[in-house]
DNA sequence: CTTGACCTTCCAGTTACTGGAGACCCTATC
DNA sequence: GATAGGGTCTCCAGTAACTGGAAGGTCAAG
């Protein structure tokens, strides 16, 4: 399979696939002409990576997940621990964003948004009041 | 004021303050010895930036907010529009993260997390089922 | 005069790609 | 055989917003 085919089937851009090879996540075979020659197994790995990335796992976490996936003797506890840690990070991020949103929403709500210069948003950022 | 004082009073690391000067957000005076000499106005700007950044505004948005703040004749509508746009972006991000969290939480919930290799998290990432 | 804390600049690294340049390869058509 | 068009290759640079560290100048105290 050429890279364009794999890109389409995995949903990842060709650029990203080359990048993933660069950082050692995949090792597609090569043809005599230098073109990458992807096997079904490579495609599966890429799809796996795409899904893990879409769940917000970092590349390094994906590397670990991939290793666990390929390790027939892994303990599911290891996977769960990794996922739970990531879940906690996501929750923390959500809380952080909600804090921002609440503050910002309140500021936006109190801003007249007209032609006059008075603006509670700027006043707040300036530390007034 | 030396940079360490401003760093402490603004809550921003000295490194960050130098960076902000680098990208033109502030222009502190210089002493003969080359040291930066911050005025109260610089400190206020930095505190403003710190608050705007903590609300998740990007550096370029901060640059615009700063310009609006310093423009006595600005219309509050301009500020509100900027803030509203950012608020929408935050909301979108929250929704995205909540989607991730829900999926991930469900996977984690169904994973035994024991010594056995069977793991629904990996199965899902692998596209099985 | 030396020590130690500050200050300076500049360079490199971080995350996960993305865009683009220049060049090679393959297939089809004329 | 020449050419046109895609597809592919590698490599370099840039993104956001810092952060760490090296090498070296400055300042106040003892």
């Amino acid at each position: 399979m050429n890279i364009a085919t794999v890109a389409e089937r995995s949903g990842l851009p060709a650029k990203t696939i080359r990048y993933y090879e660069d950082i050692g996540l995949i090792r597609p075979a090569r043809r005599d002409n230098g073109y990458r020659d992807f096997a079904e197994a490579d495609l599966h790995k890429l799809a796996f990576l795409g899904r893990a990335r879409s769940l917000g796992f970092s590349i390094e976490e994906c590397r670990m997940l991939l290793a666990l996936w390929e390790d027939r003797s892994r303990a599911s506890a290891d996977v769960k621990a990794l996922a739970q840690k990531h879940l906690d990070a996501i929750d923390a991020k959500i809380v952080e964003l909600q804090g921002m949103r609440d503050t910002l929403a309140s500021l936006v709500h109190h801003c007249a948004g007209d032609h006059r210069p008075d603006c509670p948003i700027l006043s707040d950022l300036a530390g007034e009041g």
Side-chain angles (χ1 to χ4, degrees), chain A:
Chain A
M1 258 184 292
N2 272 354
I3 198 166
T5 308
V6 179
E8 213 215 311
R9 290 183 59 189
S10 69
L12 296 171
K15 274 279 190 188
T16 298
I17 295 172
R18 291 196 191 95
Y19 173 67
Y20 284 174
E21 181 186 9
D22 240 36
I23 61 175
L25 287 178
I26 53 168
R27 292 187 187 284
R30 294 283 180 147
R31 281 191 238 274
D32 288 346
N33 63 11
Y35 283 23
R36 290 171 183 78
D37 187 11
F38 297 85
E40 287 293 327
D42 296 312
L43 178 56
H44 289 152
K45 269 200 200 183
L46 287 168
F48 180 100
L49 288 168
R51 276 187 284 265
R53 292 286 300 128
S54 78
L55 285 178
F57 285 102
S58 73
I59 289 286
E60 287 316 308
E61 286 167 337
C62 287
R63 195 190 298 277
M64 289 187 275
L65 286 171
L66 213 44
L68 287 169
W69 184 40
E70 301 199 297
D71 176 6
R72 300 255 159 206
S73 68
R74 87 260 165 168
S76 69
D78 295 339
V79 184
K80 187 169 184 172
L82 194 52
Q84 183 64 56
K85 196 179 152 199
H86 179 50
L87 186 52
D88 293 346
I90 288 179
D91 278 333
K93 189 74 191 171
I94 289 175
V95 167
E96 184 194 343
L97 286 174
Q98 279 171 341
M100 287 181 188
R101 184 190 55 189
D102 292 348
T103 301
L104 201 50
S106 157
L107 290 175
V108 166
H109 181 71
H110 289 101
C111 177
D114 56 18
H115 62 288
R116 289 171 302 173
D118 313 277
C119 178
I121 301 172
L122 292 180
S123 298
D124 181 89
L125 289 175
E128 298 164 15

